[in-house]
């Protein structure tokens, strides 16, 4: 049976974020990239996080963060620009997780306004211009 996409779109993983995370396609919009990066966190795919970050991310530290937390729900609250012809975009979201290794343990929420830039037809996450809310 096809599994549902972790991003909560209601689509199957293969028809949704899986196309970008494993299928080699590029997310066409900032929201699509945001969703697929969330799904990569949920599935603990550090390669995809590194490949879609503007900044050089440390693979090991992302893997460590993934070991410490399980992301289980995404809510996209709003977005600005980030369309197929835009150069920049913003997505505000809440990502719900449970932590094991860090204190305090338990449930947490990451509420962030993420910035994205499009370069040579590909969207990237721009951490420097993103804000934790
Ligand atoms: Zn998805």
């Amino acid at each position: 049976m096809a599994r549902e996409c972790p991003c909560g779109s209601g689509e199957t993983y293969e028809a949704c974020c899986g196309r970008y995370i494993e299928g080699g396609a590029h997310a066409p919009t900032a929201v699509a990239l945001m969703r697929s990066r969330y799904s990569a966190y949920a599935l603990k795919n550090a390669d995809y996080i590194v490949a879609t970050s503007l900044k050089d991310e440390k693979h090991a530290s992302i893997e460590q963060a993934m070991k410490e937390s399980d992301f289980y729900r995404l809510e996209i609250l709003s977005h600005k620009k980030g369309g197929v012809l835009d150069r920049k975009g913003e997505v505000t979201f809440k990502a719900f997780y449970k932590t094991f290794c860090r204190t305090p343990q338990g449930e947490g929420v990451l509420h962030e306004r993420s910035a994205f830039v499009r370069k040579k037809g590909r969207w990237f996450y721009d951490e420097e211009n993103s804000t934790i809310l």
Side-chain angles (χ1 to χ4, degrees):
M1 208 181 83
R3 60 184 159 157
E4 211 174 280
C5 192
C7 81
S9 63
E11 305 273 351
T12 63
Y13 173 67
E14 286 72 20
C16 190
C17 300
R19 286 176 296 169
Y20 314 125
I21 296 172
E22 291 174 52
H26 299 315
T29 64
V31 168
L33 184 69
M34 166 64 227
R35 285 185 168 280
S36 63
R37 283 174 55 90
Y38 168 84
S39 291
Y41 267 106
L43 298 168
K44 307 192 188 289
N45 182 325
D47 290 344
Y48 188 74
I49 298 302
V50 172
T52 55
S53 296
L54 193 60
K55 201 179 87 174
D56 271 339
E57 300 249 28
K58 299 268 181 298
H59 201 279
S61 63
I62 291 168
E63 275 192 331
Q64 186 57 37
M66 286 175 170
K67 261 184 214 156
E68 293 176 355
S69 305
D70 271 346
F71 280 87
Y72 64 91
R73 189 156 68 90
L74 173 68
E75 276 179 24
I76 304 255
L77 303 172
S78 64
H79 69 274
K80 255 198 261 176
K81 298 208 169 156
V84 288
L85 298 175
D86 290 319
R87 297 210 156 273
K88 291 188 171 188
E90 275 181 10
V91 182
T92 304
F93 66 92
K94 284 183 178 176
F96 297 79
Y97 60 88
K98 295 183 185 117
T99 61
F100 323 106
C101 306
R102 266 182 277 157
T103 46
Q105 291 195 355
E107 307 211 349
V109 184
L110 172 64
H111 186 190
E112 184 178 309
R113 184 173 60 239
S114 288
F116 296 89
V117 294
R118 190 169 63 90
K119 292 195 165 186
K120 295 181 182 162
R122 290 185 58 184
W123 283 101
F124 295 91
Y125 172 58
D126 181 4
E127 187 181 343
E128 282 189 2
N129 290 302
S130 297
T131 312
I132 307 264
L133 300 169

